[in-house]
Amino acid sequence: MELDWEDIKTVLAVVREGTLARAAQTLGVNYTTVARRITRAETALGQKLFERLTEGYRPTEFGLLTARHGEQMEQHQNALLRQVQGRDHTLRGPLVITAPQILLNLHLIHVIDQFCTLHPEVELSVNAANDLVDLGRRRADLAVRVSDSPGDTLIGLRLSDQHTAAFASPEVARRIAAAPDDPVGWIVHSQTKGVPAVALARNPRAFVRARFDDMIAMTGAAQAGLGVVRMPMFIGRGTPGLVQVPVMEPSPYAPIWVVAHADVWPGAKVSAFRALLKVYFCEHGAKFLA
């Protein structure tokens, strides 16, 4: 029996993910297909690749060896496909982009609408994700990121600088205006220490009222009147029911980039989408700055 690339790729996915269920989700197949491919790879190699345990599949020495070679094969395949895409001068076929959800909702959806109208033969897929997607492994072709740099292995175009400021509901804003020295409740991200230092210096009685792990949830909490949130200007200005409050001065925030792998960057579809992004941010850049 010959060893099939799909089977090797499945071994690699199970080693990475630890369970058949997560590997199946990554590969876009069902649990049964993953199990069948593992058994087929073991038959072809004549070796046991995994210990079947109640907590998951533990790779054997041969399983790890197969996964290492599978990773090298995957890298070569991705390099070939990236270079083919980078030399593709047609405006048709698949294009995958990724960007933070709230930036998509408030701004990038207009660019997407324009792109789809201009290039109807492009099959556009959008991944709304706050986590960084691995462009080297072709999880996406193009990414819009809020970051201080595009990354060492990527090419990037800086679309816009940003500022951050404090926003709250109109009712909370009225209370602050009427009694600026009274305690001010803040909604902060779960990974931050607490009330921003510049705000605490202005009002030592400020306190953390609630913590959230997601900016969309924080925005909703601010709309509901739970307290003040520090957020990028484009979110505060673009969200109904929020107004800027003078509890801190606006400050610089990480800029917005569009990035791609160097192999993919010259491709026609990536270039066309990037060009529309550049025009949009040139026209709407004031919405991101104080």
Side-chain angles (χ1 to χ4, degrees), residues 220-242:
Q223 288 175 299
L226 268 68
V228 177
V229 176
R230 179 169 65 177
M231 61 179 65
M233 300 293 297
F234 82 88
I235 300 177
R237 287 171 171 167
T239 303
L242 292 183

Side-chain angles (χ1 to χ4, degrees), residues 81-244:
L81 294 174
R82 287 196 310 264
Q83 290 177 36
V84 168
Q85 185 177 7
R87 290 166 170 77
D88 182 5
H89 302 300
T90 65
L91 285 166
R92 59 177 180 269
L95 175 68
V96 181
I97 65 170
T98 179
Q101 182 177 349
I102 201 160
L103 187 57
L104 278 165
N105 291 350
L106 295 177
H107 287 283
L108 300 186
I109 195 66
H110 304 297
V111 179
I112 291 168
D113 180 31
Q114 185 181 13
F115 182 84
C116 290
T117 301
L118 291 173
H119 309 295
E121 293 187 74
V122 176
E123 303 160 17
L124 183 65
S125 298
V126 181
N127 178 7
N130 294 320
D131 297 332
L132 297 185
V133 175
D134 190 340
L135 302 184
R137 288 172 59 189
R138 302 185 65 251
R139 296 294 183 261
D141 303 310
L142 194 71
V144 178
R145 291 180 176 172
V146 177
S147 176
D148 289 319
S149 69
D152 294 339
T153 62
L154 304 174
I155 292 181
L157 172 67
R158 190 167 176 147
L159 294 171
S160 178
D161 290 333
Q162 289 198 87
H163 284 108
T164 183
F167 290 85
S169 69
E171 177 58 32
V172 171
R174 283 192 290 270
R175 292 203 303 265
I176 292 172
D181 295 326
D182 282 359
V184 175
W186 278 77
I187 303 161
V188 301
H189 196 276
S190 56
Q191 294 182 350
T192 63
K193 293 181 179 179
V195 176
V198 291
L200 202 58
R202 180 172 291 191
N203 183 347
R205 301 174 71 189
F207 64 97
V208 174
R209 188 174 187 196
R211 295 179 183 272
F212 289 81
D213 65 352
D214 177 77
M215 178 54 73
I216 294 177
M218 293 169 66
T219 302
Q223 288 175 299
L226 268 68
V228 177
V229 176
R230 179 169 65 177
M231 61 179 65
M233 300 293 297
F234 82 88
I235 300 177
R237 287 171 171 167
T239 303
L242 292 183
V243 295
Q244 189 174 342

Side-chain angles (χ1 to χ4, degrees), residues 268-284:
K269 295 188 289 291
V270 168
S271 297
F273 196 91
R274 187 172 69 242
L276 293 178
L277 282 171
K278 185 176 180 180
V279 171
Y280 182 86
F281 279 90
C282 284
E283 293 176 349
H284 299 272

